[in-house]
Amino acid sequence: IIMVFADLPVECVRGIFGHLTTLESFRLSLVCRLFRAAAGSPSAYQHLTVVPAETSAWSRLTPAGASLLASRMCHSARASISVSEGNVAGLIVLLEGTAAALRSLEITSARHRVTSTGVSTTRRRQIFPRLERVRIDGDTNVWLAMAEERRWVLPVLQLFEFASIVPPSD
């Protein structure tokens, strides 16, 4: 029996998308109607997943692409971000787009190789009303400074973990 991928039920394709990173799912959603239907469900974007190999792609995401992706991510309950180097400005904006639903955030970043250049700091505070758990491993100073500059408020935070603390550079 030969089955064509296009003949799979959309629920099966959604299951496959569940094993992809957020950016991979987003890119595939632009390929055909089946993939768009699979990725169009709020359940397809329950988790924001970013891997180091995608950091440069996130920094090149157009404002229109970021806006479309942010609208799909508004139901994300968990975010797992792992970056090796580069500018994380696009990821910061995307995280803020998930603020209403986000419950858990894990960030892993290389030491002294991640920046948030280009993110506007002149804005009202950003409230994460459901964020209960944050874990940062790597260059904590960049992420903490960015959260302070962006005026993040975490009213229900129960657990804040640092896997390693990088001393400030002079």
Side-chain angles (χ1 to χ4, degrees), residues 96 99-100 124-130 151-155:
E96 291 177 348
R124 67 180 197 278
R125 64 186 174 167
Q126 177 66 58
I127 300 173
F128 290 78
R130 296 183 178 171
R151 301 178 62 196
W152 284 6
V153 178
L154 315 169

Side-chain angles (χ1 to χ4, degrees), residues 74-141:
C74 66
H75 300 287
S76 292
R78 188 180 77 206
S80 175
I81 299 173
S82 179
V83 293
S84 58
E85 61 184 306
N87 190 341
V88 294
L91 295 174
I92 292 167
V93 172
L94 195 57
L95 272 176
E96 291 177 348
T98 67
L102 197 61
R103 293 182 182 274
S104 175
L105 172 61
E106 294 185 24
I107 299 171
T108 303
S109 61
R111 298 173 181 241
H112 304 296
R113 296 170 68 184
V114 178
T115 65
S116 59
T117 306
V119 177
S120 170
T121 57
T122 56
R123 57 174 291 139
R124 67 180 197 278
R125 64 186 174 167
Q126 177 66 58
I127 300 173
F128 290 78
R130 296 183 178 171
L131 189 57
E132 299 171 351
R133 181 180 177 275
V134 174
R135 177 182 169 86
I136 301 175
D137 183 9
D139 191 352
T140 55
N141 293 320

